[in-house]
Amino acid sequence: MFFGIEWDTSSQWAFAVSIFPILLHGLVITLEATVVGFFIALALGLVLAALKSAPTRFIRWPAKLLTEFIRDTPLLIQLFFLFYVLPEFGLTLPAFLTGALALGVQYSAYTSEVYRGGLEAVASGQREAARALNLAPARTFTHIILPQAIPRIIPALGNYLVSIMKDVPVLGVVTVLEMLGVARIIGDRTGGYLIPLTMVGGIYLILTIIASLGVRYLDTHLPKRGLSLK
Amino acid sequence: MNNATEIRDATESSDPIIKFDKVVKRFGDHVVLDELDFEVQRGEKVTIIGPSGSGKSTVLRVLMTLEPINDGVVYVGGEPLWHQRRGDELIPAGEPHLREMRSHMGMVFQQFNLFPHMTVLRNLTEAPVQVLGINKAEAKKRGMELLEMVGLTDQADKYPHQLSGGQQQRVGIARALAMRPKVMLFDEPTSALDPELVGEVLNVIRSLADEHDLTMLLVTHEMHFARQVSDRICFFDQGRIKEQGKPEDIFTAPKEERTKAFLKAVLDPDD
């Protein structure tokens, strides 16, 4: 029994059917961690991107160093830092939040590069034309640069959403009961790992395909209004 | 306000509208403008020719405030462009001064630099509405007039990528004119165009050259066109004016060896 749901081991089919709702409980946690982590990554990445294009190198360099550090170290290190080291300094976060934060921090390094790349891909001639026309810097950013950068940024961000979802099982090591962890516990308790693990793999496959289709849909249907991105 | 009046007064007198006074521009160790002295009179049509790297485009980019200078003073309408006056002193200009000065100039870019996510008409109305504060209906009306001038009224609602290069550049010219500049800067306006599209752009520039009040500064490799529309040709070499004069003099009887060699190379490229 798990999450108040009994499993039925009378046949393999019955077992699969009976543990499906249990796995769905885990799936909800997985999706929640994905979404929270993604939003943290979006926000933190924006901050990092801004710092990395700051006018002074005393801000730029530390921001770049931090990005590199995050990118070149395993997600588990960020996770352990947040889970084990922060409490040493008196800050204890719930396991779920710790996990989502670790995902967000890890992926902010990537999203910050997406933002920066998207903004830099807008041709310098666009800034020059805006300047020659005396458009204010803020107006130039919001109405000339951003509209041209966003169609490049969004599909790339979507790909990271899928990656985050696939990284959620790592949170199992800090006791977050996400879907794969749930499957393992079912295996531990019933002695049958094949079916729950296969089902989790299947569910992941379906989710990834749906998300990829979504990203592709966004890619082709985002209003580009005259932008050719090739 | 005071500034604007001064400039109008200055431009109506016989003072040059543009004056480079020993202007130096460096990119790293490379000297692009070498103590350049250069003047343009109000309403004058001047074409700058010369080999690549001679500083031709830099003159325009300095005037458009896209490229700061390292030394010397540039005057537009009697007012320093990259400096502002404090008492008797000239100090580096702040953004408000640059904004004010920039409003006298319009620029046409080699790569057009139209805003690709805006329709043709919106390209023409964005800055007049946002910068000059003209209301939208008025800006559209004026935008359509400008499109009529460049022969593109039927393209108003299209996006730039749906237009040919020649059409895009005509929009580029209209967009610059929409800000009502006193000085138009053309930075190799036909260099990115397929040969068969060059003529339509040159025709638009030619019709502008007939406007008495408009000062025009043109960087181009279209020598025959330059000869037709210019009051004066300036041959640039190594960041300075090597030779200048009336088109017929420069093209038929250049004095400097460097000018002769350059003209021979561009006019008879097969030799």
Side-chain angles (χ1 to χ4, degrees), chain B residues 26-40:
Chain B
R26 283 184 294 265
F27 289 115
D29 290 338
H30 180 57
V31 179
V32 190
L33 300 182
D34 184 9
E35 298 198 357
L36 173 70
D37 288 322
F38 175 53
E39 287 186 4
V40 179

Side-chain angles (χ1 to χ4, degrees), chain A residues 126 128 131 134 139 143, chain B residues 61 65 99 114 117 126:
Chain A
Q126 293 292 306
E128 294 190 348
R131 190 163 154 92
N134 241 340
R139 180 81 188 175
H143 282 71
Chain B
R61 294 173 56 79
T65 71
R99 268 181 86 76
L114 297 181
H117 57 301
E126 171 72 12

Side-chain angles (χ1 to χ4, degrees), chain B residues 182-207:
Chain B
K182 295 192 182 75
V183 181
M184 277 288 277
L185 309 167
F186 295 89
D187 187 10
E188 305 204 23
T190 58
S191 296
L193 296 176
D194 291 335
E196 75 269 23
L197 302 175
V198 168
E200 59 187 74
V201 172
L202 293 184
N203 282 336
V204 170
I205 300 176
R206 186 178 286 119
S207 69

Side-chain angles (χ1 to χ4, degrees), chain A residues 118 122-123 126 144-152 227 229, chain B residues 115-117:
Chain A
V122 178
Q126 293 292 306
I144 307 297
I145 307 297
L146 262 194
Q148 298 185 57
I150 284 174
R152 298 167 208 269
L227 293 180
L229 300 179
Chain B
F115 302 132
H117 57 301

Side-chain angles (χ1 to χ4, degrees), chain A residues 2 5 10 14 17 24 32 59 75 77 99 116 127 135 143-144 146 149 157 159 166 176 178 180 190 195 205:
Chain A
F2 201 20
I5 300 168
S10 59
V17 171
L24 286 188
E32 282 174 356
I59 299 175
L75 172 58
I77 291 185
R116 213 162 62 105
R127 290 167 216 272
L135 286 172
H143 282 71
I144 307 297
L146 262 194
L157 290 180
N159 289 328
K166 290 198 288 185
V176 175
E178 47 70 51
L180 185 63
T190 61
I195 289 172
L205 189 64

Side-chain angles (χ1 to χ4, degrees), chain A:
Chain A
M1 187 176 117
F2 201 20
F3 286 125
I5 300 168
E6 289 290 349
W7 42 70
D8 176 356
T9 48
S10 59
S11 76
Q12 300 214 330
W13 264 115
F15 182 53
V17 171
S18 66
I19 64 170
F20 187 64
I22 305 175
L23 291 177
L24 286 188
H25 270 92
L27 174 62
V28 171
I29 302 292
T30 296
L31 292 179
E32 282 174 356
T34 303
V35 170
V36 175
F38 185 57
F39 277 102
I40 293 172
L42 289 185
L44 210 57
L46 201 57
V47 174
L48 270 181
L51 293 179
K52 279 191 287 190
S53 52
T56 157
R57 70 179 99 113
F58 297 106
I59 299 175
R60 271 201 314 270
W61 287 359
K64 281 181 183 169
L65 202 67
L66 181 64
T67 309
E68 274 309 308
F69 174 76
I70 295 171
R71 268 211 307 203
D72 298 344
T73 53
L75 172 58
L76 260 182
I77 291 185
Q78 271 93 267
L79 191 59
F80 280 180
F81 246 90
L82 293 173
F83 195 72
Y84 295 113
V85 179
L86 280 190
E88 288 181 13
F89 294 91
L91 183 62
T92 308
L93 297 172
F96 174 82
L97 207 57
T98 307
L101 195 59
L103 284 170
V105 167
Q106 171 81 11
Y107 278 91
S108 69
Y110 296 100
T111 57
S112 72
E113 285 301 304
V114 171
Y115 291 128
R116 213 162 62 105
L119 291 175
E120 281 175 5
V122 178
S124 63
Q126 293 292 306
R127 290 167 216 272
E128 294 190 348
R131 190 163 154 92
L133 291 166
N134 241 340
L135 286 172
R139 180 81 188 175
T140 301
F141 185 73
T142 57
H143 282 71
I144 307 297
I145 307 297
L146 262 194
Q148 298 185 57
I150 284 174
R152 298 167 208 269
I153 289 173
I154 292 201
L157 290 180
N159 289 328
Y160 284 124
L161 177 68
V162 175
S163 296
I164 290 178
M165 188 170 72
K166 290 198 288 185
D167 273 350
V168 170
V170 173
L171 308 196
V173 292
V174 292
T175 73
V176 175
L177 269 180
E178 47 70 51
M179 183 166 55
L180 185 63
V182 169
R184 207 198 66 224
I185 292 170
I186 294 173
D188 288 345
R189 294 194 190 164
T190 61
Y193 289 98
L194 175 67
I195 289 172
L197 289 184
T198 308
M199 286 172 77
V200 168
I203 292 171
Y204 252 108
L205 189 64
I206 292 166
L207 286 176
T208 309
I209 289 172
I210 292 173
S212 300
L213 287 176
V215 170
R216 197 179 307 167
Y217 179 85
L218 264 181
D219 205 0
T220 48
H221 287 79
L222 255 190
K224 292 193 183 63
R225 295 188 303 173
L227 293 180
S228 78
L229 300 179
K230 291 290 159 251

Side-chain angles (χ1 to χ4, degrees), chain B residues 186-254:
Chain B
F186 295 89
D187 187 10
E188 305 204 23
T190 58
S191 296
L193 296 176
D194 291 335
E196 75 269 23
L197 302 175
V198 168
E200 59 187 74
V201 172
L202 293 184
N203 282 336
V204 170
I205 300 176
R206 186 178 286 119
S207 69
L208 280 177
D210 294 334
E211 291 203 20
H212 185 68
D213 286 344
L214 191 65
T215 307
M216 273 172 42
L217 219 55
L218 176 68
V219 171
T220 186
H221 297 290
E222 300 288 332
M223 295 299 157
H224 294 286
F225 177 74
R227 190 169 175 172
Q228 289 166 8
V229 301
S230 315
D231 300 315
R232 178 161 50 111
I233 305 284
C234 293
F235 174 69
F236 268 62
D237 191 37
Q238 298 182 335
R240 286 178 181 223
I241 299 175
K242 192 84 176 171
E243 184 171 2
Q244 58 178 326
K246 289 191 188 313
E248 46 282 21
D249 295 338
I250 295 289
F251 284 115
T252 55

Side-chain angles (χ1 to χ4, degrees), chain B residues 37-48:
Chain B
D37 288 322
F38 175 53
E39 287 186 4
V40 179
Q41 302 304 317
R42 183 167 190 264
E44 197 180 13
K45 298 1 176 208
V46 176
T47 298
I48 300 176

